[in-house]
Amino acid sequence: VLFAGFVFVTRGEQEAAFVQKGWSNNAPVIVQNMVRALLHGGVLAFVLAGGLVGMLRCHRKQAWRQLGWIGVALVLVVAVDAKLLARHYVKTIERDSIAAENVLIRYLKSNLGKDRVALLTEQGFYNNWMSVVFPYHDIPVFNIVQMPRVPEDYQKVMAAVGRSPVRFWELAAVGYVIGPVQAWQQIQKDQALAPRFSLAMGFQVYQTSSGGIGVNPVMDVREAEHVLLKFDGMPRFSLVNRWRVMSDNEALAAIAVSTFNPRREVVLGTDPGIRATQAAADGTTGHVSVVSMNVKEVTIQTEQQSPAVLVFSQRYDRDWVARLDGKPAPVMKCNFIELGVAVPPGRHEVVLRYQPAIWGLYVQGFGMLVCLMAGVVIVTRRAAATGHPGGQGDGGAENRFRGGSV
C-alpha cells in the first residue's frame, strides 16, 4: 500500500521512464494499473493477515469451529478475488474456433512430421495460431509465445547470425514458413534465398461462424493473401559424420559463416570419443527413425556404416541425459545451441531424456512442511494455554470456591 502511494506521488517520473522505453501513449495507463494492482494486493494481504491473526486468537472451547469459519471466509475471499480478476485475463471462446481443422492444418499434419513451422509475423490471427490453435493440434511452432527474458545462448546466436533468421530456422529444424504473400515476393528476388524455398500453398483467410479463422486455398498465387512455404532446412534428427571440436566463441563464429553447412558437418563443444572416417561426400550418413517422442523423452533408432554424431535439433541443456543401447552416453553441445550423441557404426538405439534436478522441489516441500507443523504447534499450544487449570476457564471456578460462593 505504501509503495502504491509512492508510485502515485511520483507518477510523472514513472510515466516518463516508460515513455523512454518506447511505451509512449500507453505510459499513463501502465502507471495507473500499477497503482491499482499494488493497492489491490495490499488490501488482500491485510485481509489474509487478519484471518491468520483470528486463527491464532481462537479460544479452546470453540477453537475448531472458529478455525473452520475463518478458513471458509478466507477461501471465499480468495475465490471472489479470483473471479473478479479473471474477467480481465480470461476470455471464453468457442471450442470449434480452435478444434476445427482447416486445409492448412490438415496439410501440416500430413507433411510436417517432427519438424517445426515458423511464422513470419505474430500479428492478428497469426498470434492465435501460434499460441492456441497450432499447439492444440500438436503442430510444433518455432516462434516462442512469451519470452520476457531471452536466454543468453539465444541472444548470442541471434547476434552472430545477424538479422536473417534463415540460419536459426535451419538449426531449429523449421520445415515450413507461413506469412503474408509479400514475403514470398521478396524471397523470389533474393538469389541466395530463392533456391531454399518453394511454394506449398497460397491461401486467403476468413472468419468462421464460431469465431475461428478459415482458410481458402487459391490456385493462382497472385490472388493469395498469405503463403505456406516449404523450407529446405535440417531435419529434427540427423546423422553427421564430419565434425570439428571448438570453444563456444569459435562455434558461434563458425555457424555464422555463410558457407557453413550443418548437413555436411557439425561443430562440437567436446571430443565425441570416436574417430571420423571417410564417408559420403555430403557429410550425412545412415538412417534415423523416431520410435517414440514426447516433451521429456525421445527414442531413436540409428543405422550407419561409419562413426557419426546424432544431432537433435533441440536447445542444449545440461539436464539432458542419453543412453546408447541401454548404457549411459555423454550428451554433447552441437552447433553451439543443439545437442547430440556420438554413435558408432552399426544399428543402435538412442534414448534422450530431459531429467532436471528436483532437489529444489524437495527444499520447497520441506519448507512448506515446516510452516504447516509450526502452525499446528502454535494453534495447539494456544488452545492448551486457554484451558490450563490456572487459566481463565477453571481459575474462575477455583476462586469462587475459595470465596465461599459454593
Side-chain angles (χ1 to χ4, degrees):
V1 175
L2 292 177
F3 187 59
F6 171 78
V7 174
F8 179 78
V9 173
T10 61
R11 59 185 182 278
E13 300 175 5
Q14 303 287 341
E15 293 174 4
F18 280 110
V19 170
Q20 291 180 355
K21 294 179 181 179
W23 292 101
S24 61
N25 296 333
N26 294 321
V29 179
I30 295 175
V31 175
Q32 185 180 16
N33 288 337
M34 286 177 59
V35 174
R36 289 180 177 178
L38 290 169
L39 285 174
H40 181 90
V43 171
L44 186 61
F46 276 127
V47 173
L48 296 178
L52 294 176
V53 171
M55 286 183 174
L56 296 177
R57 295 178 61 86
C58 290
H59 297 290
R60 179 175 181 270
K61 293 182 178 180
Q62 299 179 344
W64 295 112
R65 180 179 298 179
Q66 291 177 347
L67 284 174
W69 282 113
I70 294 176
V72 170
L74 292 179
V75 170
L76 289 176
V77 168
V78 174
V80 171
D81 180 70
K83 177 68 175 178
L84 294 176
L85 290 179
R87 60 182 179 178
H88 299 291
Y89 303 102
V90 180
K91 180 182 178 181
T92 58
I93 57 177
E94 293 289 339
R95 181 182 181 276
D96 289 344
S97 66
I98 301 174
E101 293 187 359
N102 54 44
V103 177
L104 180 66
I105 291 175
R106 288 194 291 269
Y107 183 92
L108 290 174
K109 283 186 173 182
S110 300
N111 297 276
L112 187 60
K114 303 298 182 182
D115 294 341
R116 298 183 175 96
V117 60
L119 305 181
L120 293 179
T121 177
E122 299 177 4
Q123 301 297 320
F125 66 87
Y126 282 98
N127 185 277
N128 180 255
W129 280 2
M130 173 187 68
S131 58
V132 181
V133 178
F134 285 179
Y136 177 87
H137 292 280
D138 293 325
I139 298 176
V141 182
F142 168 78
N143 308 65
I144 299 175
V145 178
Q146 290 184 349
M147 186 182 288
R149 298 180 181 177
V150 180
E152 184 179 0
D153 52 354
Y154 279 27
Q155 294 181 18
K156 290 182 178 180
V157 172
M158 289 186 289
V161 301
R163 294 184 177 182
S164 175
V166 174
R167 177 51 52 86
F168 218 154
W169 290 347
E170 192 172 38
L171 297 177
V174 169
Y176 286 88
V177 178
I178 306 176
V181 68
Q182 291 80 6
W184 172 235
Q185 297 168 355
Q186 293 296 324
I187 289 174
Q188 289 179 302
K189 298 177 182 178
D190 192 315
Q191 296 181 354
L193 291 180
R196 305 204 61 182
F197 292 86
S198 59
L199 180 65
M201 182 189 302
F203 61 93
Q204 299 174 349
V205 298
Y206 63 94
Q207 188 169 10
T208 64
S209 58
S210 61
I213 299 298
V215 172
N216 275 333
V218 296
M219 298 298 295
D220 189 348
V221 69
R222 291 175 297 182
E223 299 177 359
E225 300 171 350
H226 309 271
V227 290
L228 171 67
L229 304 177
K230 180 73 174 72
F231 175 61
D232 181 26
M234 287 288 294
R236 194 71 177 273
F237 304 94
S238 59
L239 286 167
V240 183
N241 55 22
R242 295 181 181 180
W243 56 81
R244 290 180 287 168
V245 180
M246 299 181 176
S247 65
D248 283 351
N249 291 335
E250 292 173 334
L252 277 173
I255 66 175
V257 177
S258 59
T259 55
F260 173 74
N261 187 350
R263 292 180 178 271
R264 297 178 59 88
E265 67 173 343
V266 57
V267 177
L268 304 178
T270 56
D271 192 289
I274 55 177
R275 296 183 60 184
T277 59
Q278 295 293 330
D282 63 354
T284 58
T285 180
H287 176 72
V288 179
S289 60
V290 180
V291 178
S292 63
M293 183 176 179
N294 55 49
V295 295
K296 290 186 177 181
E297 183 177 292
V298 56
T299 301
I300 309 155
Q301 284 187 347
T302 65
E303 186 174 1
Q304 75 282 353
Q305 298 180 353
S306 61
V309 175
L310 173 64
V311 180
F312 178 22
S313 179
Q314 180 70 34
R315 182 191 174 199
Y316 174 80
D317 192 291
R318 296 181 183 272
D319 291 327
W320 280 96
V321 295
R323 300 188 73 86
L324 177 63
D325 297 329
K327 299 179 181 179
V331 177
M332 302 177 295
K333 181 185 287 189
C334 301
N335 299 328
F336 182 77
I337 200 167
E338 299 174 305
L339 57 90
V341 178
V343 183
R347 183 169 183 158
H348 304 279
E349 181 182 80
V350 181
V351 178
L352 284 158
R353 179 176 178 79
Y354 185 66
Q355 191 171 307
I358 59 175
W359 62 268
L361 295 177
Y362 288 132
V363 173
Q364 292 181 4
F366 178 75
M368 293 174 66
L369 181 61
V370 169
C371 292
L372 179 61
M373 293 178 64
V376 172
V377 170
I378 291 173
V379 173
T380 304
R381 289 186 175 181
R382 181 75 179 179
T386 57
H388 192 271
Q392 181 179 356
D394 296 335
E398 184 178 354
N399 291 335
R400 289 193 298 271
F401 178 77
R402 290 180 178 178
S405 59
V406 179

